[in-house]
């Protein structure tokens, strides 16, 4: 029984790394592609130069760093795959939703610019990834201890 679990943990690690590689590659290619093609893509919605300008600002913050959201989701999926679904859900809610609400009521109030609002996205993804990594390591070690 414990040998199967050890093999499962090694497979989880391997799958995690493969998924991280895929999500980073796809996220960077599509995210930067959307940003670099943003002028064309935004013209689908509006020809107004101000709308295009503001849209490009959003794309520069969100699309170029969107691979971070993918990394966060891979860790959440891995934790769920190991049988822990509540913890990653709470971490995601706190890191993405609650943090951004906090950001809007504090940092954004002090610096009311679009860039201040949009930078909260990659910051929230990075913070959530950091907590997800800690949870992953803790849960992985817990599973290893149980299988010894």
């Amino acid at each position: 029984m414990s040998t199967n679990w050890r093999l499962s943990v090694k497979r989880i690690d391997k799958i995690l790394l493969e998924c991280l590689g895929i999500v980073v590659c796809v996220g960077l290619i599509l995210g930067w592609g959307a940003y670099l093609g943003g002028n064309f893509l935004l013209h689908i919605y509006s020809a107004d130069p101000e709308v295009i300008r503001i849209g490009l600002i959003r794309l520069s913050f969100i699309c170029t760093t969107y691979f971070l959201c993918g990394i966060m989701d891979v860790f959440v999926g891995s934790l769920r795959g190991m049988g822990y679904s509540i913890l990653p859900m709470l971490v995601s809610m706190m890191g993405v939703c609650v943090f951004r609400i906090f950001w809007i009521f504090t940092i954004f109030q002090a610096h009311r610019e679009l860039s201040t609002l949009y930078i909260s996205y990659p910051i929230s993804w990075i913070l959530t990834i950091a907590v997800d990594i800690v949870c992953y390591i803790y849960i992985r070690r817990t599973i290893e201890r149980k299988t010894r």
Side-chain angles (χ1 to χ4, degrees):
M1 178 87 159
S2 63
T3 304
N4 289 338
W5 271 102
R6 283 189 203 117
L7 291 174
S8 294
V9 169
K10 288 183 181 186
R11 275 185 281 163
I12 290 170
D13 289 345
K14 181 179 184 251
I15 292 167
L16 174 74
L17 292 175
E18 289 175 2
C19 289
L20 287 173
I22 291 167
V23 81
V24 167
C25 289
V26 170
L28 286 172
I29 291 167
L30 293 179
W32 277 91
Y35 172 66
L36 295 173
N39 201 19
F40 170 76
L41 294 171
L42 292 167
H43 270 91
I44 294 170
Y45 300 100
S46 176
D48 183 349
E50 185 64 9
V51 171
I52 304 298
R53 185 185 72 75
I54 291 170
L56 288 171
I57 292 171
R58 179 174 166 80
L59 291 176
S60 71
F61 282 94
I62 307 301
C63 289
T64 60
T65 60
Y66 200 67
F67 70 96
L68 294 170
C69 183
I71 292 171
M72 181 184 71
D73 288 341
V74 167
F75 275 103
V76 168
S78 295
L79 292 166
R80 290 180 66 211
M82 290 190 289
Y84 293 82
S85 59
I86 302 294
L87 180 63
M89 177 205 53
L90 293 173
V91 169
S92 293
M93 281 180 40
M94 294 298 293
V96 175
C97 301
V98 174
F99 174 79
R100 288 183 193 161
I101 291 168
F102 171 79
W103 185 275
I104 288 169
F105 285 109
T106 58
I107 307 298
F108 183 66
Q109 292 303 315
H111 307 281
R112 295 182 68 89
E113 298 174 15
L114 277 177
S115 59
T116 304
L117 182 63
Y118 292 148
I119 196 69
S120 69
Y121 283 81
I123 291 172
S124 68
W125 293 329
I126 290 168
L127 291 174
T128 305
I129 290 167
V131 175
D132 282 338
I133 289 170
V134 170
C135 292
Y136 181 84
I137 292 168
Y138 175 78
I139 289 170
R140 190 182 180 289
R141 286 183 181 163
T142 301
I143 290 171
E144 282 181 331
R145 268 182 268 150
K146 286 181 182 178
T147 60
R148 288 184 185 165

